[in-house]
Amino acid sequence: GAVAILLANNVRDIDGDRLAGKRTLAVRLGRARARDLFAAVVAAVTQPIKIAISEWAVNLLYALGYPIASSGVTIQIAQYELLVAAACAGLNSIISLGAICLFYGYLRHRTNVAAFAVIALSVIPIAVFSNFIRVIVLILITYYLGEAAAQGFLHDFAGLTMFAVALLTVFVIDSIFTRLLHLRTERLRR
């Protein structure tokens, strides 16, 4: 994940770095090869996440009685076939959610390093969980309303739902941790 972010930054800065005489990996590879490397790193990082999210969603819906099966990131439900794309693996949401959570953590807990660390460390699991919810929502939309519905407005709505789930999860984790910390502080005072 961090390598992908650094590569994206280096590709963005390639012209300035070249003029400044910096010999970054992106400068050495050139823009096209650096972008190809970035795509390969993103695929390597997100593939296991995509497969896990697909398997979890299929297992849950199968246990609930839905006619569903999968092979890798391809999901078959009734007569429909879905492909869990890179966006569903959460890379974009990890970056966005990370920025929002770190900002929230800074505003709410700038003097409490432990609380800030809990929020920061929860970003990736929360992004994976919320993308799991998104995949389930999209599968159910496809099953009940058809492929066209799942690829139109409702696809975007599922993305917004996923992000709302992620933010709510951050708030819940923060609330629980803050209460536990407060209880611990009260016990130590006694």
Side-chain angles (χ1 to χ4, degrees):
V3 171
I5 293 169
L6 290 172
L7 276 169
N9 186 51
N10 283 342
V11 169
R12 186 196 69 200
D13 296 341
I14 198 167
D15 296 328
D17 288 349
R18 187 177 289 122
L19 287 173
K22 293 182 182 178
R23 303 220 1 106
T24 64
L25 182 60
V27 169
R28 291 177 185 190
L29 292 175
R31 188 176 306 278
R33 286 190 184 133
R35 283 187 179 157
D36 290 344
L37 178 60
F38 172 76
V41 168
V42 168
V45 169
T46 61
Q47 188 67 15
I49 299 171
K50 289 190 296 187
I51 291 171
I53 288 173
S54 298
E55 288 176 358
W56 298 336
V58 167
N59 290 338
L60 176 64
L61 292 173
Y62 183 78
L64 293 173
Y66 286 91
I68 190 167
S70 70
S71 176
V73 295
T74 303
I75 297 172
Q76 181 81 34
I77 185 159
Q79 72 269 25
Y80 303 109
E81 186 173 280
L82 299 98
L83 178 67
V84 178
C88 292
L91 183 67
N92 293 336
S93 63
I94 288 171
I95 293 168
S96 302
L97 187 63
I100 290 171
C101 287
L102 291 176
F103 183 65
Y104 169 78
Y106 173 76
L107 291 177
R108 184 137 157 68
H109 301 291
R110 72 179 73 159
T111 60
N112 187 338
V113 175
F116 183 80
V118 166
I119 290 172
L121 292 173
S122 66
V123 170
I124 292 175
I126 290 170
V128 170
F129 171 73
S130 58
N131 278 288
F132 167 71
I133 299 298
R134 179 182 188 193
V135 169
I136 288 175
V137 168
L138 288 173
I139 291 170
L140 293 175
I141 289 171
T142 302
Y143 181 71
Y144 287 108
L145 302 175
E147 244 177 311
Q151 293 177 7
F153 165 78
L154 292 177
H155 184 271
D156 295 335
F157 180 74
L160 292 173
T161 302
M162 178 273 309
F163 210 78
V165 167
L167 287 176
L168 288 174
T169 306
V170 168
F171 298 149
V172 167
I173 287 173
D174 180 42
S175 176
I176 291 169
F177 183 77
T178 302
R179 285 183 185 160
L180 291 173
L181 196 59
H182 185 66
L183 287 173
R184 182 175 172 243
T185 305
E186 283 182 13
R187 283 185 194 157
L188 291 173
R189 286 183 186 166
R190 292 180 194 179

